[in-house]
Every structure is written in structure tokens, then in C-alpha cells.
């Protein structure tokens, strides 16, 4: 009887004091700010002081950015912001499927981050798309962005929003929209870059006497499948954000999410078209390999047929029988050589005329 798979255990978090947790969180903090009426309050502030100030004053929200936090760091955040332990577990482990989850008064959006790896030729690389993850944790008075992986799609979002106080004045949901919008735009950019690779490969494949390595085609096909698996699951979460009456997402922000949903649908459609195009290229490449193999087999068969003629004649006269009348003829040796050469030349001419050689 096969062994049952072990259940995944949650990572246990040792008990430490609040000050110790706060100290351990500092190195994961990318930036932290308090925003009131769309403007950032001056001065640097820790996430602990920021959330306490917002809740004591009853206005504004905290925007905290984290990069690859560990269990202790997320435990500190959960204790101060009131975040569910399942959210902290997902934020710590990473590698989450794109999804939208609601926990009481907290909304969590997981997004896949993709980055195109520039290259000269496909022979020089083993991958052309790098993937990461972005998580947006949305509360009534805070928004936390968590990044896993090396990608720069979130760089500059904070500064761009700070230049548009009207958007930030709509609340922390505006940050979730900005992050989702930037991620979807990166999907479109990566799809455009891959399209150029596909077009170049297609042009090279259908050139006369093309010599294209089929591994390049399989590489592009694999990368497109990975891209498809990373962006397709986001369809349903974006529909919910644009249509469902979620308390944490104002009506105006839902209108913006509809635009993001349209861009995502375009990205999914482009990737699907590229995937179909690569499927056709795989079939064409396999057919070309089969044609080349048939051509090689014809050439081999032609040379074997030519070589069989002298082999057969030499075999007949190599049987060492005594009563072979041709052996007594003085010019028989030269006559046999002439016949062998004539037949071989004739076969070579016939095969060459039929493009077998």
C-alpha cells in the first residue's frame, strides 16, 4: 500500500517580545508612510508608530512595503495590524497562485510578477521569463505590499501615486489598483517581447534549407506555458474586484479595476495566440525533422544499393567452385570489373536524377 502524503505543517513562530519582533522586521521594510487626504505626512516613521498614529487620529492610512519577510517579521506585523495568521503564512512562504481572498476586514490579492530576460539568441539562454510574486494585503486603514523575487515592476509606484494625491485620497484600495495595473502592464510587455522571439524563430524555420535547433522551439513553448499558468488564474480575482461590492474597495476604484481587467484579458489573449503559434511551429519542426530523416534514409539506401552490386558479384566469384567457365577466360577479370563499374555508375545516375543523392 503506498504511503500517504504527509500533511503540510505550519511553521511555528517562537514567542518573542514586541520590541524584538520590531527589530527583526526593520531589514525587510522597503518603505513605510502615512497618507492623510492623499498626501504623505513628512518624516520617517516605523510601521508600529504609523499604525498607532492612524488609529489614534482616526484618519489616513499606512502603506508598508516589505521584501521577502520571514516568519518573525510577519508575526510582528500581524500582531500590530491585526492580520490573520493564514495571511502571514502565505506572505512568508511565497509561491502562491494568483488569487483573491477575504479575511473578515482584510482583503488579500496575490499576483504573479514576470520579467523578460533580454538575450541575443535563444541558444545563449536556458530561460527567457523570470517569475516572482507580489502580495497586496488591504485593510481599512492600511495596505501592505509584499514582494518575493527579483523584479522591478513595483519600483516607482509609490512616487507616482504621491504625485497624484487625488488617487491616494480614495484610500488604500488605490494602492492595490496601482500594483495590479503595473503587474498587468508587465504581462503585456513580456508578451510583446516574446512575440518578437516567436516571429524571428518562425522566419528562420521556414527559410529554404533552414537549420533551426528544435530545442529553441521547445524552450519558447515551455516559457509561454509558464507565463500562461502565471497570468491566467488572475481572471476571476479581477472580475470580483471590478464587479463585486467589496466593502474595502470603493466604487470609483472598482471602475479602475475594470480597465485593469480589460488589459488582463488582452494579455491572456495574446499569450494564448502565441501559444497556438508555437504549437504550430512545434508541429512544423517535427515534420521538417521527419522529412530530413527520410532524405537521409534515401541517401543511405541509395549508397547501400550501389555498394551491393560489387558485393554480390564478388561474392559469386568468391565461392571457390572448380567448374566455373568464366575463370578460364583470360580477360574475365577485367570484364567483371567493367560490368561492376558500369552498373554502379548507372545506379548513381538514376539516384542522382531522382534527387536521392
Amino acid at each position: 500500500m503506498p504511503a500517504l502524503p504527509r500533511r503540510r505543517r505550519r511553521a511555528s513562530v517562537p514567542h518573542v517580545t514586541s520590541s524584538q519582533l520590531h527589530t527583526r522586521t526593520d531589514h525587510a521594510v522597503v518603505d513605510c508612510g502615512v497618507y492623510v487626504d492623499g498626501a504623505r505626512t513628512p518624516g520617517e516613521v516605523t510601521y508600529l508608530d504609523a499604525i498607532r498614529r492612524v488609529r489614534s487620529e482616526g484618519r489616513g492610512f499606512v502603506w508598508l512595503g516589505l521584501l521577502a519577510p520571514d516568519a518573525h517579521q510577519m508575526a510582528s506585523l500581524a500582531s500590530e495590524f491585526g492580520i490573520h495568521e493564514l495571511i502571514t503564512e502565505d506572505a512568508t512562504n511565497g509561491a502562491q497562485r494568483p488569487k483573491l481572498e477575504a479575511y473578515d476586514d482584510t482583503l488579500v490579492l496575490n499576483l504573479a510578477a514576470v520579467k523578460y530576460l533580454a538575450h541575443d539568441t535563444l541558444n545563449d539562454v536556458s530561460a527567457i521569463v523570470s517569475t516572482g510574486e507580489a502580495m497586496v494585503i488591504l485593510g481599512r486603514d492600511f495596505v501592505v505590499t509584499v514582494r518575493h523575487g527579483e523584479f522591478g515592476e513595483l519600483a516607482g509606484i509609490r512616487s507616482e501615486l504621491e504625485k497624484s494625491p487625488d488617487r491616494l485620497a480614495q484610500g488604500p484600495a488605490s494602492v492595490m489598483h496601482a500594483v495590479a495595473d503595473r503587474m498587468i502592464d508587465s504581462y503585456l510587455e513580456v508578451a510583446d517581447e516574446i512575440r518578437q522571439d516567436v516571429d524571428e524563430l518562425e522566419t528562420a524555420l521556414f527559410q529554404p534549407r533552414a537549420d533551426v535547433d528544435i530545442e529553441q522551439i521547445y524552450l519558447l513553448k515551455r516559457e509561454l506555458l509558464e507565463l500562461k499558468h502565471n497570468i491566467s488564474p488572475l481572471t476571476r480575482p479581477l472580475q470580483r474586484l471590478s464587479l463585486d461590492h467589496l466593502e474595502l474597495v470603493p466604487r470609483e476604484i472598482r471602475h479602475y479595476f475594470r480597465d485593469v481587467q480589460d488589459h488582463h484579458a488582452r494579455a491572456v489573449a495574446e499569450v494564448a495566440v502565441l501559444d497556438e503559434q508555437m504549437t504550430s511551429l512545434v508541429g512544423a519542426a517535427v515534420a521538417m525533422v521527419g522529412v530530413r530523416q527520410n532524405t537521409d534514409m534515401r541517401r543511405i539506401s541509395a549508397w547501400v544499393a550501389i555498394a551491393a552490386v560489387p558485393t554480390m558479384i564478388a561474392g559469386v566469384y568468391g565461392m571457390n567452385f572448380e567448374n566455373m567457365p568464366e575463370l578460364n577466360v583470360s580477360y574475365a577479370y577485367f570484364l567483371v570489373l567493367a560490368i561492376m563499374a558500369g552498373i554502379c555508375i548507372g545506379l548513381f545516375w538514376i539516384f542522382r536524377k531522382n534527387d536521392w543523392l
Side-chain angles (χ1 to χ4, degrees), residues 15 19 32 36 63 68 73 98 103 111 118 121 139-140 142 160 166 219 256 264 268 276 301 303 327 356:
H15 176 72
S19 60
C32 180
V36 179
W63 181 358
Q73 297 160 352
Y103 296 86
L111 300 149
T121 63
R140 297 186 182 278
F142 68 87
E160 291 177 4
D166 294 340
L219 171 62
Y256 286 116
H264 177 262
V268 172
E276 293 178 1
S301 300
W303 285 113
L327 297 177
W356 280 42

Side-chain angles (χ1 to χ4, degrees), residues 41-111:
T41 59
E44 296 183 359
V45 62
T46 65
Y47 76 92
L48 179 61
D49 295 334
I51 195 64
R52 289 179 177 177
R53 180 196 306 177
V54 168
R55 290 177 177 174
S56 63
E57 297 178 357
R59 62 195 186 101
F61 69 92
V62 179
W63 181 358
L64 174 64
L66 298 176
L67 176 61
D70 58 27
H72 292 289
Q73 297 160 352
M74 289 308 300
S76 172
L77 188 66
S79 64
E80 299 297 336
F81 283 66
I83 298 176
H84 197 278
E85 62 178 348
L86 292 177
I87 301 177
T88 62
E89 181 182 2
D90 291 343
T92 301
N93 297 331
Q96 298 297 314
R97 185 177 178 86
K99 58 185 178 180
L100 178 68
E101 294 181 319
Y103 296 86
D104 298 329
D105 57 350
T106 306
L107 201 62
V108 182
L109 177 63
N110 288 89
L111 300 149

